[in-house]
Amino acid sequence: MLNLDENTKVRASAARVMSRQRLFDLGRGFETFFTRNPDTNLFEFTNGSSGNPELDPFRATQFDLGYEYYMGNEGLVSITGFWKEVDSFIVTNTVPVFVNDQAGGRLGPVQLPENGEGGRIRGFELSGQYVFDWGVGFVANYTFSDSTSSSFNDFDEGLPIPGVSKHSANAQIYYQNDLFEARTSYTWRSKRYNGNFGFNDGDVSRSLGRWIRPYGQLDAQLVVHVSENFDLTAEVVNITKEEQSEYLQFENLPFRYNSGPRRILLGGRFRF
């Protein structure tokens, strides 16, 4: 860290990082699903999912360079550039697998995690925060991440690292005093690659990219300080009931849909 003056700092860092695999991805068995054919009254294989005990941990070498300007007691504006050389990551692919069934067996789509062959993430983050004397404050940031990897399918090559959106942003505004705290936050991210879907087209194997559509979510929280040791809390998650969905390669080819219910949580918090 370098202090340019009382309010300005420059930070640089380099690190070699590693994160372990999800135990569920490593140890999950081969789960298969069957459906009854009404014409033959036999159960036929439809699809499945599997773990992979040979998954590597996430490994990367990363570099960051940031500029920070501080204002008042809790004000900050900063920009940080980053470069990550990713040696290994995990991607979820869907591949055709032959499974025996009562009708003699058939090929069906099986979803399983596999090792990616590495990639790169470059980008920057802009952030700012400020608190006014009368109790209102805000925090906001925007991140641009340009990622590439060795992943490919029938339509694309050099695909992004799974789960990395090119654009993401979040903002929070709040008010707090001795009696209560109220916060509203919004998070948003652009579309992101989520692996490949493989299937057989006659004697030919096809592969399409799975993409999660852009998604934004609005949440709110209220905390009332009843006493020095007890708070009442209320939280509303996904106020606008935003839905999440996934498509195959083309935006007009839907693949998966998750409804977006609004959740209301009420509780209490003790401090001892």
Side-chain angles (χ1 to χ4, degrees):
M1 183 180 69
L2 175 64
N3 293 318
L4 299 182
D5 57 42
E6 185 179 49
N7 299 320
T8 308
K9 301 180 185 296
V10 173
R11 299 179 189 270
S13 65
R16 177 71 175 165
V17 297
M18 181 178 69
S19 176
R20 68 174 302 168
Q21 317 90 324
R22 292 178 58 211
L23 294 180
F24 182 74
D25 288 340
L26 286 170
R28 179 170 37 137
F30 188 16
E31 183 179 26
T32 53
F33 297 91
F34 300 84
T35 187
R36 186 180 67 84
N37 187 325
D39 296 327
T40 63
N41 203 34
L42 299 176
F43 282 92
E44 300 176 352
F45 173 64
T46 55
N47 63 291
S49 62
S50 174
N52 184 353
E54 297 183 359
L55 292 176
D56 295 328
F58 298 85
R59 292 189 179 95
T61 302
Q62 58 187 38
F63 307 90
D64 302 281
L65 178 63
Y67 173 86
E68 304 169 356
Y69 179 74
Y70 293 84
M71 304 168 290
N73 293 327
E74 297 184 56
L76 168 66
V77 176
S78 69
I79 179 171
T80 301
F82 54 85
W83 184 305
K84 304 176 188 290
E85 292 291 334
V86 182
D87 298 326
S88 59
F89 59 88
I90 295 173
V91 58
T92 300
N93 287 325
T94 304
V95 297
V97 176
F98 184 88
V99 174
N100 288 316
D101 56 26
Q102 291 183 333
R106 66 199 62 251
L107 282 169
V110 174
Q111 189 177 83
L112 74 162
E114 296 181 321
N115 291 314
E117 296 182 6
R120 174 179 296 161
I121 306 174
R122 294 171 294 185
F124 63 89
E125 179 181 24
L126 297 172
S127 62
Q129 66 180 60
Y130 196 80
V131 180
F132 296 95
D133 294 337
W134 40 286
V136 169
F138 71 86
V139 179
N141 69 60
Y142 162 78
T143 302
F144 171 81
S145 298
D146 182 27
S147 71
T148 58
S149 73
S150 57
S151 299
F152 65 93
N153 55 39
D154 287 353
F155 291 88
D156 294 311
E157 59 183 22
L159 286 161
I161 292 176
V164 178
S165 295
K166 181 166 286 190
H167 306 280
S168 61
N170 65 74
Q172 181 183 104
I173 185 169
Y174 59 91
Y175 175 78
Q176 59 186 24
N177 58 27
D178 293 338
L179 178 60
F180 71 94
E181 302 173 18
R183 301 175 184 271
T184 300
S185 60
Y186 182 76
T187 59
W188 176 87
R189 61 190 305 184
S190 62
K191 70 176 185 178
R192 59 192 187 274
Y193 172 64
N194 197 36
N196 287 328
F197 180 83
F199 61 96
N200 277 4
D201 182 9
D203 295 330
V204 180
S205 295
R206 306 290 187 185
S207 179
L208 300 177
R210 295 167 47 203
W211 292 85
I212 300 176
R213 299 181 192 273
Y215 179 76
Q217 181 172 306
L218 180 65
D219 305 321
Q221 183 184 52
L222 177 66
V223 179
V224 179
H225 305 301
V226 178
S227 69
E228 183 179 349
N229 302 105
F230 178 65
D231 297 333
L232 289 174
T233 63
E235 185 175 2
V236 184
V237 179
N238 197 14
I239 295 174
T240 55
K241 298 182 179 181
E242 295 297 321
E243 300 156 346
Q244 299 185 61
S245 61
E246 189 175 342
Y247 63 89
L248 281 180
Q249 196 65 43
F250 307 103
E251 293 189 13
N252 61 350
L253 188 58
F255 179 67
R256 182 171 295 165
Y257 170 85
N258 292 322
S259 62
R262 178 190 299 130
R263 302 191 301 277
I264 300 175
L265 309 173
L266 302 174
R269 188 167 60 198
F270 292 90
R271 290 184 298 274
F272 299 97

